[in-house]
Amino acid sequence: MISPSQGKHVEDTWYLSALAVLGSTLALGAIATLLSIYNGTPIFKWHGVTLNAIVAVLAVTLKGLLAFAISDAIGQSKWIWFSRQQRPLQDLALIDSASRGPLGSLQLLYRSVARSPISIGAIVVVLSVAIDPFIQLAVGTTDTVMYKNDSSTEISYAKKYSRGYFTPLVSDSVKSTDGNTYFKARADADFAMKSAILYGVSQPDKLPNSPVTAFECGLWYCVNEYSSAVVNGSLVETSASAPSTRSPKSWQVLPLPEQPHFTVQQKIKNPPPDTLNYYEDSSSLLRTDLQLGAGFNLTQRAIYGIGKAMNETFLVTPAVNDTSGRTRFINSYILARGQSVTYHPTVMQALHNHPFDLDATFAALAKSMTNAIRGNGDDHTVATGQAGTYTVLFEVHWPYLILPATLALVGAAFLLTVIYRTRAAGIAVWGSDVMPSVALGARLGPIFDGDMRLSRMSGIAKLQSVQYPKLSEASEPVATENANGDTGYEMLTVDIGP
């Protein structure tokens, strides 16, 4: 037996009831903490255990501990009830039944005892049957799409592009009429850029009956900002022009000492400082990178390689004779002889067959070339996007916790009130234990005149009144005549001290 201070046993104190209230409060706090932590998170299963199962265990713990404390408090209220004045003996059974479960508590609420503070404990017992379902209702779910960074959503972009081929031909020089010698240069785009150019202008064949028209389209280097999203399973990108002012110190011819294929005695033929065009006979001078905006660079090799690829795709270098016999240089042509049509270069077929979609054609060309640059940048930089996944999340319905929290709070207040009233009445702590009733049975027995039938005892209990005095008061039953003229016991005083 555990013996606390002052020589009292645990059974003679409120320690167990107080610990039960404390445990129920901790269980409620654990439920609220768990729901707060996992609210809005994906549902989980840990070794087969779900959040609902954990909450259910805590709810049963809360309900069980609270029921234990309230049962003790109601049971103790029984002795307080009879210690103050004469009470119907039937109230003894009524209050005892209320301490044992919701049905007895519900019966008590319809009797005169309900006007006492005991009814507060009875209400807590009755409403406690809703603790489990209300806490379970607080744990709900909701469907949503959760986004997180995913490598499958990476979009390439380029800070610097150097793909291509460029080299001055030191062994291949051209003598100019001014007496200067210039070196030729050779450049070419990489395979990815060539493919992008051809893909951008390729269209299905269509031969509309339309007059021949002249047109001009231009392409230029710029910097764009892209917003990418997947809509109905397809990647959709929108672009907006970003500040891309050409740096005044970019695309400059390197000083003569940094031109490895020229000597000090040679003169350098400079193309116009701002030209980006590639000329085989005069593009051998080495230059700095072309810088656009905040650090977006294209090297000379890339620019001249793209220029060479564009020349090969859209220009014709051989001379042709016009109808007057004069020799002219033209960019491209379409020659129709009877049913035979010749396109030179071949890209002219696509341009000729879609004269009404030329803006769209060159927009597609620009986009295709841009994608080639973005996908083949020197640093292979990528912007990682987010992938959405259909997910079921926990959703806590907090209002459902109001009832369990209120019952726990009222239950604790009711226990404190009973403890205070017990001390004020100066009676022992018996709670809902059956042993005090057994001890008093011998003294109460004469009231029932030896008839042990439950119906007979219940009938007699309705007619008799009993008072349990304070610790110092004690007396034996005194026989009197009750209101019906039968021999009975008007009042019984019994010592309920320890």
Side-chain angles (χ1 to χ4, degrees):
M1 182 68 67
I2 300 175
S3 298
S5 60
Q6 299 181 355
K8 291 185 178 180
H9 294 288
V10 172
E11 290 87 346
D12 300 325
T13 66
W14 292 103
Y15 289 159
L16 294 179
S17 297
L19 287 175
V21 169
L22 177 60
S24 65
T25 304
L26 292 177
L28 180 63
I31 292 172
T33 301
L34 281 175
L35 296 185
S36 177
I37 292 174
Y38 290 103
N39 186 28
T41 63
I43 59 175
F44 69 91
K45 183 179 292 186
W46 179 75
H47 296 290
V49 179
T50 64
L51 178 63
N52 296 72
I54 298 174
V55 170
V57 171
L58 291 173
V60 171
T61 303
L62 164 63
K63 180 180 177 181
L65 293 176
L66 183 62
F68 175 84
I70 298 302
S71 174
D72 248 15
I74 293 178
Q76 183 67 19
S77 298
K78 172 176 56 183
W79 311 117
I80 299 174
W81 179 252
F82 283 96
S83 70
R84 294 179 178 274
Q85 65 183 57
Q86 294 185 60
R87 304 288 186 185
L89 185 57
Q90 185 188 25
D91 289 353
L92 181 67
L94 192 62
I95 299 174
D96 184 74
S97 178
S99 69
R100 310 215 178 266
L103 183 58
S105 295
L106 193 61
Q107 292 174 342
L108 182 143
L109 293 175
Y110 288 98
R111 302 299 176 90
S112 60
V113 185
R115 292 191 295 272
S116 71
I118 303 175
S119 61
I120 297 176
I123 292 173
V124 173
V125 172
V126 171
L127 293 181
S128 65
V129 299
I131 289 180
D132 288 342
F134 267 62
I135 290 179
Q136 287 298 322
L137 287 172
V139 186
T141 58
T142 184
D143 301 333
T144 188
V145 177
M146 292 191 67
Y147 293 90
K148 64 179 181 179
N149 293 341
D150 194 300
S151 59
S152 64
T153 63
E154 291 179 347
I155 301 295
S156 300
Y157 68 95
K159 297 283 289 185
K160 183 176 182 179
Y161 182 72
S162 301
R163 293 290 186 93
Y165 172 80
F166 168 75
T167 182
L169 301 177
V170 180
S171 60
D172 192 356
S173 59
V174 176
K175 187 74 171 181
S176 175
T177 54
D178 60 5
N180 296 322
T181 300
Y182 307 107
F183 295 101
K184 293 184 177 181
R186 186 164 295 170
D188 204 356
D190 72 324
F191 178 79
M193 180 58 69
K194 288 183 177 181
S195 301
I197 294 173
L198 295 177
Y199 176 80
V201 297
S202 62
Q203 298 287 345
D205 288 343
K206 181 179 178 182
L207 298 173
N209 296 320
S210 59
V212 177
T213 57
F215 59 89
E216 181 179 1
C217 293
L219 298 175
W220 62 93
Y221 296 105
C222 62
V223 178
N224 285 341
E225 293 180 348
Y226 291 88
S227 298
S228 304
V230 176
V231 179
N232 296 327
S234 300
L235 177 64
V236 177
E237 285 192 323
T238 57
S239 62
S241 180
S244 56
T245 304
R246 175 173 162 180
S247 172
K249 296 182 179 181
S250 70
W251 199 244
Q252 299 297 308
V253 176
L254 295 178
L256 185 63
E258 298 182 35
Q259 301 285 347
H261 51 284
F262 283 89
T263 63
V264 177
Q265 291 77 20
Q266 291 176 312
K267 296 181 180 180
I268 298 178
K269 176 184 178 183
N270 288 334
D274 58 349
T275 184
L276 299 177
N277 294 331
Y278 166 72
Y279 301 100
E280 183 180 9
D281 293 340
S282 57
S283 297
S284 59
L285 298 176
L286 300 183
R287 293 177 175 267
T288 59
D289 293 346
L290 174 66
Q291 183 175 354
L292 303 175
F296 294 93
N297 288 23
L298 291 96
T299 65
Q300 183 180 19
R301 177 172 58 184
I303 292 176
Y304 280 166
I306 293 173
K308 176 64 180 302
M310 294 292 285
N311 289 346
E312 292 178 345
T313 303
F314 291 97
L315 301 180
V316 174
T317 54
V320 296
N321 296 328
D322 60 12
T323 55
S324 64
R326 291 177 298 177
T327 300
R328 297 179 181 273
F329 289 90
I330 61 175
N331 289 341
S332 55
Y333 62 85
I334 301 172
L335 180 61
R337 296 177 179 176
Q339 298 297 321
S340 176
V341 180
T342 302
Y343 300 93
H344 199 76
T346 55
V347 72
M348 285 302 298
Q349 183 174 3
L351 299 179
H352 176 262
N353 291 342
H354 292 79
F356 303 109
D357 296 328
L358 292 176
D359 288 341
T361 298
F362 276 87
L365 172 61
K367 182 177 180 179
S368 182
M369 295 175 67
T370 297
N371 290 339
I373 294 175
R374 291 170 59 186
N376 296 280
D378 290 10
D379 42 8
H380 300 285
T381 50
V382 295
T384 302
Q386 294 184 320
T389 305
Y390 180 80
T391 309
V392 181
L393 306 177
F394 286 116
E395 183 179 34
V396 179
H397 306 294
W398 294 107
Y400 285 109
L401 293 182
I402 294 177
L403 176 64
T406 302
L407 293 179
L409 180 62
V410 173
F414 178 66
L415 177 63
L416 291 175
T417 302
V418 172
I419 294 175
Y420 172 78
R421 295 179 65 205
T422 298
R423 293 181 176 179
I427 61 176
V429 179
W430 284 353
S432 59
D433 198 286
V434 71
M435 297 309 296
S437 298
V438 173
L440 295 171
R443 299 181 181 183
L444 292 174
I447 295 179
F448 303 107
D449 197 22
D451 192 341
M452 301 305 292
R453 290 177 299 171
L454 183 60
S455 59
R456 176 62 177 166
M457 289 188 291
S458 297
I460 293 175
K462 294 178 182 179
L463 303 175
Q464 301 300 320
S465 295
V466 176
Q467 179 182 4
Y468 295 152
K470 294 183 179 181
L471 298 177
S472 60
E473 299 176 358
S475 66
E476 293 297 328
V478 178
T480 64
E481 188 174 308
N482 61 24
N484 294 331
D486 300 328
T487 300
Y489 298 86
E490 185 181 57
M491 177 178 139
L492 175 66
T493 57
V494 183
D495 184 359
I496 61 173

